[in-house]
Amino acid sequence: MKTAAHLAHTDREGRLLATAAELAGPEARIATCEGWRIRDLLRHTGAVHRWATGIVAEGLTSPRQRDPAPALDGAELIEWFREGHARLVAALGAAPADLECWTFMPAPSPLAFWARRQAHETSVHRADAESALARDTTATDADFAADGIDELLNCFHGRPKSQVRTDTPRVLRVRTTDTDDVWTVRLSPAPPHTERATGDTYDGVADCELSGTADRLRLALWNRLPLSAVTLTGDPEPARLWREKSAV
């Protein structure tokens, strides 16, 4: 996806998150994040937004710690979140294409990295906020959801710090039913190695396959939906391993 599309999703998802948080109220429990309430979600995501904004706007070439969220609550906390989200969207929109700054995963450029990362960060936490309303989450564009799957599998879990490892090599396949995307995730004692393909161009037999719409697969892989929300075929062990070890 292009940076402009990621920026548009960052804007949309943040607005939806704030609306859901306002409807649910600060005390509402987050069904998808054990122990969290809406206020915890707003503080976390708002702090991430301000942290990313500083890196982009100041062109920082090395990481820095996130500032803690202020001790706000209720309407003041929601307004603080909205203000930080607006600043993030503005900073990404104003950044030059040749922006130089620190990143922590592979991307075509620093600007492409931050636009993509904040789009998916905000989207997953929007789903968290909506889970507090005990209703179905807002539908997400299939191509955007597939892009989120790819970021999780190829970027987050392509890093040495990934804990999704097994002494017995296994192959997990992830297949979307509303796009033409297929990922083959090879599990071993090393970090997972993922290959993305389209249609029937993938290689090899998988021990386990997860299939479903891109949005439901994305949320299941982020442990926001149970595995029963998608279709599992084959040996369930690779899926169980993912469930237990994939937190980032």
Side-chain angles (χ1 to χ4, degrees):
M1 297 186 72
K2 294 187 180 297
T3 296
H6 283 131
L7 180 56
H9 280 290
T10 301
D11 188 20
R12 172 183 182 269
E13 297 289 336
R15 292 174 187 273
L16 289 171
L17 193 163
T19 297
E22 195 166 37
L23 287 172
E27 276 289 314
R29 295 182 183 274
I30 305 294
T32 50
C33 296
E34 186 176 357
W36 271 26
R37 297 179 186 267
I38 283 289
R39 64 169 59 88
D40 302 307
L41 179 69
L42 289 171
R43 289 168 181 168
H44 166 78
T45 313
V48 169
H49 284 172
R50 282 167 166 75
W51 172 72
T53 298
I55 292 169
V56 170
E58 299 171 35
L60 301 182
T61 56
S62 60
R64 72 177 181 192
Q65 294 293 316
R66 292 202 302 264
D67 293 331
L72 301 175
D73 209 346
E76 288 184 327
L77 178 58
I78 292 173
E79 182 57 31
W80 174 83
F81 171 83
R82 284 186 166 128
E83 180 183 294
H85 170 249
R87 288 182 183 178
L88 172 66
V89 172
L92 290 169
D98 61 353
L99 171 72
E100 293 290 338
C101 68
W102 174 77
T103 64
F104 58 89
M105 292 191 297
S109 71
L111 179 58
F113 166 80
W114 283 108
R116 185 192 204 194
R117 177 79 289 277
Q118 290 309 299
H120 292 301
E121 173 83 11
T122 307
S123 183
V124 169
H125 287 315
R126 182 268 303 162
D128 290 332
E130 290 181 345
S131 78
L133 297 172
R135 69 182 192 194
D136 289 340
T137 58
T138 301
T140 297
D141 173 79
D143 288 337
F144 174 64
D147 184 69
I149 294 171
D150 192 68
E151 186 204 40
L152 178 63
L153 298 180
N154 263 315
C155 296
F156 272 107
H157 288 286
R159 298 184 295 171
K161 63 169 56 179
S162 175
Q163 297 302 305
V164 185
R165 303 175 186 228
T166 173
D167 291 335
T168 303
R170 301 291 182 94
V171 177
L172 172 66
R173 183 155 288 136
V174 176
R175 184 193 306 272
T176 58
T177 56
D178 53 350
T179 74
D180 203 26
D181 294 294
V182 181
W183 292 264
T184 300
V185 187
R186 302 186 187 282
L187 307 175
S188 72
H193 176 74
T194 299
E195 299 165 354
R196 185 180 188 178
T198 56
D200 296 324
T201 62
Y202 56 87
D203 294 324
V205 176
D207 297 292
C208 174
E209 178 171 302
L210 298 176
S211 62
T213 65
D215 196 34
R216 292 181 77 78
L217 278 171
R218 175 188 70 132
L219 293 176
L221 290 167
W222 272 106
N223 295 330
R224 263 50 183 202
L225 284 177
L227 289 175
S228 59
V230 298
T231 300
L232 188 158
T233 54
D235 181 359
E237 178 61 19
R240 184 198 63 77
L241 177 70
W242 180 272
R243 197 77 176 174
E244 292 182 356
K245 301 291 188 179
S246 64
V248 296

